[in-house]
């Protein structure tokens, strides 16, 4: 089998070297919490000469960050006990919350108060824009003296010659033409070396995935399960906006097929704005599954559509979320490295919350790194402290209580509800001590069994994919090789067309993959890519590899 290409960097080129003590790859809540907490711990230990560097692939910190988001403030309150006084960006406290089951016939059943499933009760939580949160956290990090470079995508890990020890990363070369030849603007990526590298790339991190392949970090674990989330922000009629401001509604059922997992939300984020989103599990069996199409269908339900009347879309975005829970988390550390946040699966899918867990994971990693640096042992044995701290933490307790949640729902909605009921009185065990899970790419059925049909689109409330992508701000340098690598194009034309009908054209929420009628070759519109990673996860032959594009390329999420 031909070896997979996992980076677009050119080989054998002289590279500038930047040595630091701790390097954090990605500038999300986990990474920034880790950097801020580590800086404080190092100062206390008299190790304030250690250098901490955070790098991010987006042109500006926050541009690639998207979430719902209702946040449990537990994590941020631990990092900054005076978070509110310090000006942490809260859109609203949750004033009212409920769940609603949407019926295909048009009505809905409202579950409020004691009837609302406990995992969906949000009293005491706050509505935030994760994009604003990370910008605020980045300001706190910079004020504390931490170096932060945006527009620096990490393309490859560096390993010791005689072992798997992680020595740092190489950033992506820039100035490579579409045909792979260096342009006059060619600049080789930099070698950034560190005693400890923290992988905080978000869901399905490119480097984290390759590290897992190389070191078997998920050996003996369930495969990670993912969902694709679609989100829009709407400017709405002020009458609706005022009524909804601070309200949190989660909906279920419609328009999901019977054995599919997913859900949706409407959050009142300002007196004239709503955030709407839909998440669907990628173990969905239908080869024509189109998460964006499902989202549009949901918006057309009589419960949702009137909310958008007279309004206009402001933003669009998509991302995947790691849903597998405790049994799907990889080994969190190794020789010279650790993983935090979504990259390591820190998400409670039952409550749909991960920001507080991401922050906690970063803080736990910081404690382990500070101890390792003090002892001068950043080997696997030195970094093992992170695993111990996690096992003793409230983050573990929280994830342990829902350890079988997502797996049970993979067996169907009824089994999931039954199992969750039992789990509530058995400390999270449910009917079985440890439920297994299939990898998402293994669950697709042949296209002949598909029953999914796209809804009709319009230019008011049901925008098509391309119009939506425009509102994501996605842009990439056009003259560069596509960062979506198709490992074996013959599989697409010879096998996938027959068996699955080329599902990439459906599951991508940004219209990147096109199969014009009668074509035997895929057209890849890489410039549209919003970096959600759905293709890297859901392709039934694992034939697509998402790698980092040139620095700064991708969506430009504001307030998402
Ligand atoms: Fe997501 Fe892949 Fe489409 Fe990019 S190409 S938007 S990563 S599915």
């Amino acid at each position: 089998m031909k070896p997979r290409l996992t980076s677009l960097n050119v080989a054998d080129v002289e590279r500038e070297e930047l040595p630091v003590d701790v390097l954090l790859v990605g500038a999300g809540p986990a990474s920034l919490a880790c950097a801020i907490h580590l800086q404080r711990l190092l100062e206390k230990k008299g190790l304030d000469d250690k250098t901490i560097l955070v790098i991010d692939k987006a042109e500006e910190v926050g541009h690639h960050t998207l979430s719902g988001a209702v946040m449990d403030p537990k994590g941020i309150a631990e990092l900054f006990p005076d978070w509110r006084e310090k000006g942490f960006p809260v859109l609203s406290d949750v004033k009212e919350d409920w769940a609603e089951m949407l019926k295909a016939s048009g009505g809905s059943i409202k579950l409020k108060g004691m009837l609302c499933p406990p995992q969906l009760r949000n009293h005491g939580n706050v509505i935030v824009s994760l994009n604003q949160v990370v910008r605020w956290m980045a300001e706190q990090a910079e004020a504390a003296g931490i170096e932060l470079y945006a527009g620096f995508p990490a393309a490859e890990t560096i390993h010791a010659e005689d072992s798997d020890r992680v020595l740092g990363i190489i950033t992506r070369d820039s100035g490579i033409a579409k045909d792979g030849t260096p342009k006059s603007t060619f600049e080789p990526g930099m070698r950034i070396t560190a005693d400890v590298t923290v992988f905080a790339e978000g869901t399905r991190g490119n480097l984290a995935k390759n590290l897992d392949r190389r070191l078997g970090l998920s050996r003996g674990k369930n495969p990670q399960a993912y969902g694709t989330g679609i989100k829009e922000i709407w400017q709405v009629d002020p009458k609706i906006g005022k009524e909804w401001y601070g309200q949190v509604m989660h909906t279920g059922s419609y328009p999901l097929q019977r054995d599919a997992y997913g859900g949706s939300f409407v959050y009142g984020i300002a007196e004239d704005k709503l955030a709407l989103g839909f998440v669907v599990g990628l173990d969905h069996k239908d080869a024509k599954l189109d998460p964006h199409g499902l989202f549009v269908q949901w918006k057309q339900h009589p419960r949702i559509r009137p909310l958008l009347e007279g309004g206009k879309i402001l933003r669009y975005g998509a991302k995947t979320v790691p849903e597998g829970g405790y049994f799907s988390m990889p080994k969190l550390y190794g020789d010279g490295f650790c993983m935090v946040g979504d990259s390591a699966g820190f998400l409670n899918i039952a409550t749909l919350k991960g920001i507080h867990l991401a922050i906690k994971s970063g803080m736990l990693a910081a404690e382990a790194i500070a101890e390792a640096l003090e002892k001068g042992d950043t080997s696997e044995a030195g970094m093992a402290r992170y695993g111990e701290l996690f096992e003793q933490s409230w983050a573990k307790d929280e994830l342990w209580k829902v350890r079988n949640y997502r797996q049970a729902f993979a067996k169907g909605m009824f089994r999931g509800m039954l199992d969750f009921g039992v789990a509530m009185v058995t400390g999270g065990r449910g009917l079985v001590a440890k439920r297994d899970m299939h990898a998402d790419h293994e669950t697709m059925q042949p296209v002949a069994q598909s029953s999914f049909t796209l809804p009709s689109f319009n230019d008011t409330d049901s925008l098509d994919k391309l119009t939506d992508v425009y509102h994501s701000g996605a842009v990439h340098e056009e003259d560069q090789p596509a960062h979506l690598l198709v490992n074996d194009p013959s599989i697409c034309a010879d096998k996938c067309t027959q068996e699955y009908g080329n599902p990439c054209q459906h599951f991508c929420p940004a219209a990147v993959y096109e199969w014009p009628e009668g074509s035997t070759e895929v057209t890849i519109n890489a410039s549209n890519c919003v970096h959600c990673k759905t293709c890297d996860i859901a392709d039934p032959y694992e034939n697509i590899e998402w790698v980092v594009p040139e620095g700064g390329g991708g969506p430009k999420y504001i307030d998402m």
Side-chain angles (χ1 to χ4, degrees):
M1 197 170 157
K2 125 178 157 188
R4 280 181 177 270
L5 189 58
T6 54
S7 161
L8 289 165
N9 275 0
V10 296
D12 303 327
V13 65
E14 204 172 311
R15 299 179 185 279
E16 194 184 324
E17 183 143 340
L18 174 65
V20 296
D21 293 293
V22 180
L23 169 68
L24 298 105
V25 180
S31 162
L32 293 167
C34 181
I36 292 166
H37 195 47
L38 179 60
Q39 177 87 338
R40 291 176 187 157
L41 293 169
L42 292 176
E43 278 168 17
K44 272 197 203 145
K45 289 177 187 292
L47 296 171
D48 42 1
D49 58 331
K50 301 283 183 197
T51 46
I52 303 172
L53 172 65
V54 181
I55 59 169
D56 196 83
K57 64 184 166 65
E59 191 176 17
E60 282 181 30
V61 170
H63 274 179
H64 291 183
T65 311
L66 172 157
S67 184
V70 174
M71 185 185 85
D72 179 341
K74 199 173 182 180
I76 197 69
E78 213 168 296
L79 186 63
F80 291 106
D82 55 348
W83 57 289
R84 286 208 191 244
E85 295 74 32
K86 278 183 99 65
F88 179 86
V90 171
L91 297 174
S92 174
D93 288 286
V94 175
K95 294 175 189 160
E96 216 180 347
D97 61 314
W98 68 95
E100 222 163 305
M101 305 309 282
L102 305 188
K103 296 185 197 165
S105 58
S108 68
I109 302 168
K110 198 166 183 174
L111 302 168
K112 218 173 161 182
M114 291 306 285
L115 292 178
C116 181
Q119 73 274 25
L120 294 180
R121 293 180 202 158
N122 280 288
H123 181 75
N125 293 331
V126 289
I127 306 175
V128 298
S129 146
L130 188 57
N131 176 255
Q132 291 177 5
V133 167
V134 297
R135 288 204 321 256
W136 182 85
M137 289 179 77
E139 281 167 22
Q140 309 307 310
E142 285 182 316
I146 294 158
E147 293 279 340
L148 217 160
Y149 297 168
F152 275 65
E156 302 167 40
T157 43
I158 309 171
H159 294 268
E161 269 174 28
D162 55 351
S163 74
D164 285 318
R165 180 173 171 80
V166 173
L167 300 178
I169 61 98
I170 301 176
T171 62
R172 168 79 153 77
D173 296 342
S174 64
I176 304 175
K178 236 182 175 60
D179 63 4
T181 57
K183 298 186 276 193
S184 59
T185 53
F186 176 72
E187 271 191 46
M190 191 185 272
R191 279 171 62 91
I192 308 179
T193 54
D195 287 340
V196 181
T197 304
V198 181
F199 294 94
E201 304 167 276
T203 323
R204 189 73 159 196
N206 182 39
L207 300 188
K209 181 180 76 173
N210 288 323
L211 214 51
D212 196 350
R213 275 182 189 152
R214 177 178 179 137
L215 303 177
L217 301 174
S218 294
R219 204 174 295 132
K221 312 280 178 122
N222 279 353
Q224 186 56 273
Y226 296 91
T228 292
I230 310 284
K231 178 179 172 183
E232 286 177 349
I233 295 180
W234 277 69
Q235 177 128 32
V236 294
D237 180 331
K239 256 194 356 221
I240 290 168
K242 281 200 176 82
E243 184 196 327
W244 275 80
Y245 185 39
Q247 313 259 322
V248 166
M249 173 172 84
H250 289 108
T251 71
S253 308
Y254 184 85
L256 288 167
Q257 290 164 345
R258 228 154 48 113
D259 54 355
Y261 181 79
S264 35
F265 63 83
V266 179
Y267 301 153
I269 58 172
E271 291 199 344
D272 61 346
K273 289 189 189 78
L274 293 179
L276 301 100
F278 196 101
V279 183
V280 57
L282 289 178
D283 56 347
H284 196 299
K285 298 179 179 62
D286 197 308
K288 287 190 180 169
L289 167 73
D290 185 324
H292 172 270
L294 274 177
F295 174 66
V296 171
Q297 226 171 324
W298 171 76
K299 283 193 297 177
Q300 293 173 348
H301 190 277
R303 178 68 177 107
I304 309 298
R305 193 167 223 164
L307 304 178
L308 307 178
E309 239 163 62
K312 67 168 186 187
I313 185 175
L314 299 175
R315 311 270 179 222
Y316 170 81
K319 74 164 284 195
T320 44
V321 288
E323 298 184 337
Y326 183 81
F327 290 131
S328 293
M329 292 172 79
K331 188 173 165 196
L332 299 175
Y333 58 88
D335 196 359
F337 76 92
C338 63
M339 289 190 198
V340 295
D342 275 2
S343 282
F346 278 89
L347 185 113
N348 180 342
I349 191 60
T351 60
L352 307 170
K353 284 180 188 56
I355 302 172
H356 65 302
L357 291 166
I359 291 173
K360 183 64 178 175
S361 73
M363 294 179 73
L364 295 169
E367 283 164 41
I369 295 166
E371 284 182 29
L373 290 174
E374 189 177 31
K375 288 181 188 150
D377 178 9
T378 56
S379 69
E380 183 172 343
M383 294 303 298
R385 181 78 180 123
Y386 175 34
E388 291 166 17
L389 288 169
F390 167 60
E391 289 295 330
Q392 296 157 12
S393 71
W394 57 253
K396 149 76 190 293
D397 293 345
E398 181 178 330
L399 290 168
W400 186 247
K401 282 188 192 135
V402 291
R403 58 193 179 276
N404 279 313
Y405 181 88
R406 182 61 180 88
Q407 301 93 301
F409 278 94
K411 311 256 180 236
M413 196 52 81
F414 177 73
R415 185 84 68 90
M417 302 289 275
L418 177 68
D419 204 86
F420 185 60
V422 178
M424 281 173 59
V425 293
T426 54
R429 179 189 187 275
L431 294 166
V432 178
K434 179 181 179 283
R435 284 192 181 275
D436 295 334
M437 190 85 185
H438 284 292
D440 293 326
H441 71 270
E442 293 171 353
T443 58
M444 196 175 283
Q445 290 177 341
V447 68
Q449 294 173 38
S450 167
S451 59
F452 182 79
T453 48
L454 278 179
S456 54
F457 298 100
N458 61 40
D459 55 7
T460 53
D461 55 17
S462 304
L463 309 170
D464 61 28
K465 265 188 207 175
L466 276 178
T467 311
D468 258 332
V469 173
Y470 169 78
H471 290 96
S472 74
V475 68
H476 294 78
E477 161 64 45
E478 291 282 347
D479 188 16
Q480 65 171 313
H483 65 282
L484 293 316
L485 310 179
V486 178
N487 195 43
D488 183 349
S490 72
I491 290 179
C492 307
D494 301 341
K495 285 176 83 175
C496 192
T497 304
Q498 294 300 320
E499 207 172 350
Y500 298 111
N502 304 117
C504 55
Q505 63 186 319
H506 307 299
F507 58 55
C508 170
V512 169
Y513 301 96
E514 275 187 286
W515 281 88
E517 196 64 41
S519 172
T520 54
E521 206 180 322
V522 64
T523 302
I524 298 181
N525 306 306
S527 197
N528 288 354
C529 178
V530 295
H531 297 195
C532 75
K533 320 285 179 65
T534 302
C535 54
D536 193 285
I537 297 161
D539 181 75
Y541 302 99
E542 295 186 282
N543 200 23
I544 300 175
E545 192 90 27
W546 186 98
V547 300
V548 284
E550 279 191 13
K556 283 194 176 32
Y557 294 143
I558 313 280
D559 299 338
M560 288 290 268

